């Protein structure tokens, strides 16, 4: 999936055992592999565009993408 931000307030994503989810580090501009820094079953909480607007930019929407995985990948996402 291409680079994008989510339109809602928050997005909670359960980390998969199969790598793929990457988030953009707003400070360095580098992509961070979520599965490399989190354990399977952990939850990544990402700010959405609505939260960025509501907080006048204090919390910025999290740019993220999903790269192709060599094996099937299951993603559980909850958007608020």
């Amino acid at each position: 999936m291409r680079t994008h931000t989510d339109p809602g307030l928050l997005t909670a994503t359960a980390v998969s055992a199969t790598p793929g989810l990457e988030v953009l580090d707003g400070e360095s501009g580098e992509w961070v592999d979520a599965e490399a820094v989190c354990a399977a079953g952990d939850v990544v909480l990402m700010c959405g565009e609505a939260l960025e607007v509501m907080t006048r930019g204090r919390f910025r929407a999290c740019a993220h993408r999903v790269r192709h995985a060599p094996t099937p990948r299951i993603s559980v996402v909850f958007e608020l």
Side-chain angles (χ1 to χ4, degrees), residues 46-62:
M46 297 179 281
C47 296
E49 296 167 2
L51 186 61
E52 183 173 345
V53 170
M54 290 174 62
T55 63
R56 296 185 180 143
R58 181 173 182 189
F59 297 101
R60 295 186 320 205
C62 178

Side-chain angles (χ1 to χ4, degrees), residues 14-60:
V15 175
S16 172
T18 304
L21 176 63
E22 297 178 329
V23 295
L24 184 62
D25 182 329
E27 299 286 320
S28 68
E30 295 181 17
W31 288 100
V32 177
D33 182 351
E35 284 81 10
V37 296
C38 300
D42 284 354
V43 174
V44 175
L45 190 60
M46 297 179 281
C47 296
E49 296 167 2
L51 186 61
E52 183 173 345
V53 170
M54 290 174 62
T55 63
R56 296 185 180 143
R58 181 173 182 189
F59 297 101
R60 295 186 320 205

Side-chain angles (χ1 to χ4, degrees), residues 4-14 43-49 51 62 64 76-80:
H4 67 283
T5 57
D6 294 331
L9 288 173
L10 296 168
T11 299
T13 303
V43 174
V44 175
L45 190 60
M46 297 179 281
C47 296
E49 296 167 2
L51 186 61
C62 178
H64 57 286
V76 178
V77 178
F78 176 77
E79 238 182 276
L80 176 66

